[in-house]
Amino acid sequence: MTQRIAVLGATGSIGDSTLAILAEHLQDYEVYALSGHQRLDKLLKLCQQFKPKRVAVPTEAVDDFAKRLKQAGLTAEVVGGTQGLIDVATDSQVDTVVAAIVGAAGLPSTLAAARAGKRILLANKEALVMAGQVMIKAVKTHHATLLPIDSEHNAIFQCLPATIQQDNTQIHDDSHGVRKLWLTASGGPFLQQSFAQMQQAGVAEAVKHPNWSMGQKISVDSATMMNKGLELIEACHLFDLPESKINVVIHPQSIIHSMVEYSDGSFLAQLGSPDMKTPIAHALSYPQRIASGSQPLDLYTLSGLEFIKPDLQKFACLRLARQAMQAGTQATIILNAANEIAVEAFLQGKVRLTDIASINEQALSEVKASKLSADADIDDILAIDSLARHYTESLVRQML
Ligand code: NDP
Ligand code: MG
């Protein structure tokens, strides 16, 4: 049966990879809905190519975009703003939601998809960093399915026993013999450079990732290794493990996408070219497999795979992520919000790359939020998020 897909964040890098796969498999998948935010010319072209039934854009762009669709002879319904994204994510016609909006903006629609019992292909790691417990609870209560497409988490998913895969990836206890998870990290563009060199880095250098092609925010996060910090928190929620059971190892070649260590000494790894089309295709077709269009690995040309312990002084964001995870959800919300503001300030040339970690650290110690109770909901989360954003914005202003 055809799977109907809503691609939220269709105009981004994950959106590109997802739609490239779907374009090759239109007999099995229908592109039912798309969303975009600023790149609306690109969204229009995607509408011409895929002819979705519904399109979500910012509220102020609804009328104009509807007019442009009409002029192009298209009939898609246009919805606006966060509510529009939620409507699309919960549409009864939609089977699968690809959650590929960047940052906190992706949380409401991702959570709504979970509450509507959808199959969710999760790229938007910030949703779990901010609202891990709420998300996982919603997935379980409403019988949704959460399939990670972040390459590391997808790799771990693939290396876990089928019983865990089918139990919404929750490891719970030691009965499956899982001793540790190993998240691999490329180390980003500054792995071989000193802290002083990193301090001088401009935006172009920071977003030039050695192995992966990604959106701007996650590229900066990779340069500071905040991305690995966010992924550590994502993994704790996704796999129901404490941070102490998740190790990070730098593997500059980005061939092994992560590993599961078992109590008998086995390490299971997933390997592949650094191309997001592989984990996306895996999640789209799970438990079957489809062609992704990625280049197969040529093992004969791989000269060596390295593994390095991360330097937590140079990459302080990784240390902060562990610290926040130990402190509780209120801290991971603060860290995520501060980081979004700090990254934006760096992209606008207001602060240095290395200031991001200091800003995040200061926000973590200065923003006061009490521990969230077990029945906390999205409003409680967004209240802390907003507090942390205001604090960080004023901190950045003081630094100018
Ligand atoms: P991009 O910046 O390339 O794309 C982001 C998408 O989100 C775009 O479609 C953008 O719309 C949309 N968007 C941005 N702000 C808003 C908003 N306020 N409201 C609604 N939509 C918005 O990012 P990526 O594709 O790289 O990343 C997307 C997510 O996937 C992130 O959470 C990232 O961490 C995660 N991820 C990405 C990987 C990658 O390889 N790229 C790997 C693993 C995870 P528009 O472009 O039209 O403005
Ligand atoms: Mg990743």
Side-chain angles (χ1 to χ4, degrees):
M1 219 174 66
T2 315
Q3 228 188 98
R4 290 204 192 93
I5 318 268
V7 186
L8 304 186
T11 44
S13 163
I14 293 289
D16 285 345
S17 299
T18 306
L19 291 167
I21 301 166
L22 293 176
E24 299 300 319
H25 297 279
L26 290 174
Q27 69 286 7
D28 297 320
Y29 301 91
E30 178 188 336
V31 180
Y32 181 83
L34 296 174
S35 92
H37 192 61
Q38 287 183 322
R39 286 175 274 191
L40 297 184
D41 292 343
K42 179 171 178 180
L43 186 64
L44 185 65
K45 287 204 184 105
L46 294 175
C47 290
Q48 286 168 317
Q49 184 182 352
F50 292 100
K51 310 211 167 26
K53 303 275 190 309
R54 303 186 82 182
V55 190
V57 297
T59 310
E60 60 282 6
V62 170
D63 292 346
D64 186 57
F65 199 78
K67 214 181 287 168
R68 292 175 73 187
L69 281 179
K70 206 168 163 203
Q71 280 162 359
L74 299 170
T75 53
E77 180 203 358
V78 185
V79 293
T82 304
Q83 191 53 48
L85 289 167
I86 292 174
D87 289 349
V88 164
T90 58
D91 188 315
S92 62
Q93 297 294 308
V94 167
D95 304 303
T96 298
V97 174
V98 179
I101 290 175
V102 62
L107 173 60
S109 50
T110 307
L111 183 57
R115 289 184 171 153
K118 301 295 184 193
R119 178 178 169 111
I120 303 167
L121 271 51
L122 186 76
N124 177 224
K125 61 192 81 178
E126 296 90 347
L128 281 184
V129 171
M130 295 174 71
Q133 279 97 337
V134 180
M135 273 288 302
I136 299 294
K137 190 169 146 198
V139 166
K140 287 182 183 164
T141 312
H142 301 279
H143 307 290
T145 304
L146 199 52
L147 292 163
I149 57 179
D150 207 348
S151 56
E152 296 77 3
H153 306 72
N154 182 271
I156 289 169
F157 181 91
Q158 294 197 46
C159 297
L160 286 171
T163 44
I164 295 183
Q165 292 179 352
Q166 282 145 20
D167 187 17
N168 266 311
T169 70
Q170 302 278 290
I171 295 174
H172 301 305
D173 54 32
D174 293 338
S175 59
H176 298 280
V178 173
R179 189 191 277 159
K180 268 189 187 282
L181 304 182
W182 288 81
L183 286 176
T184 53
S186 68
F190 302 104
L191 179 62
Q192 305 299 345
Q193 299 193 23
S194 66
F195 184 81
Q197 285 172 306
M198 203 170 148
Q199 213 161 24
Q200 302 306 320
V203 171
E205 289 163 87
V207 300
K208 197 169 171 295
H209 196 277
N211 306 331
W212 297 92
S213 149
M214 309 179 287
Q216 282 215 312
K217 193 246 172 192
I218 183 174
S219 297
V220 176
D221 285 345
S222 297
T224 61
M225 285 194 75
M226 186 69 231
N227 183 47
K228 214 48 56 181
L230 296 175
E231 291 183 352
L232 174 82
I233 300 168
E234 178 186 12
C236 292
H237 292 296
L238 208 46
F239 303 114
D240 193 21
L241 287 178
E243 55 79 34
S244 56
K245 289 215 166 189
I246 304 174
N247 284 2
V248 172
V249 62
I250 294 181
H251 163 49
Q253 293 75 23
S254 299
I255 297 297
I256 293 181
H257 298 304
S258 279
M259 291 168 268
V260 179
E261 177 186 339
Y262 286 90
S263 50
D264 61 3
S266 301
F267 278 63
L268 297 196
Q270 185 257 358
L271 285 72
S273 299
D275 183 339
M276 286 307 294
K277 291 203 287 299
T278 297
I280 296 170
H282 169 267
L284 272 171
S285 60
Y286 177 83
Q288 263 108 41
R289 300 263 177 182
I290 54 170
S292 70
S294 69
Q295 278 296 318
L297 264 189
D298 181 357
L299 292 175
Y300 295 125
T301 62
L302 288 178
S303 57
L305 301 181
E306 295 168 285
F307 301 97
I308 305 163
K309 196 169 183 180
D311 173 348
L312 295 185
Q313 284 202 308
K314 182 169 155 192
F315 297 114
C317 286
L318 188 51
R319 170 176 59 79
L320 296 178
R322 274 201 195 277
Q323 195 181 307
M325 191 62 214
Q326 283 164 2
T329 303
Q330 74 290 350
T332 63
I333 301 168
I334 295 168
L335 179 61
N336 179 66
N339 183 62
E340 282 192 29
I341 301 293
V343 169
E344 192 52 39
F346 168 69
L347 289 171
Q348 291 172 0
K350 293 179 181 166
V351 302
R352 295 173 301 184
L353 182 68
T354 46
D355 291 333
I356 295 175
S358 344
I359 293 171
N360 290 347
E361 181 146 35
Q362 197 162 332
L364 265 183
S365 71
E366 294 302 319
V367 179
K368 302 291 171 224
S370 38
K371 260 194 180 310
L372 282 174
S373 65
D375 59 354
D377 204 0
I378 190 160
D379 290 340
D380 308 299
I381 289 165
L382 293 178
I384 300 178
D385 175 77
S386 153
L387 200 66
R389 276 169 205 272
H390 283 116
Y391 173 82
T392 315
E393 277 160 2
S394 68
L395 185 62
V396 168
R397 273 196 300 275
Q398 285 164 30
M399 292 171 75
L400 291 178

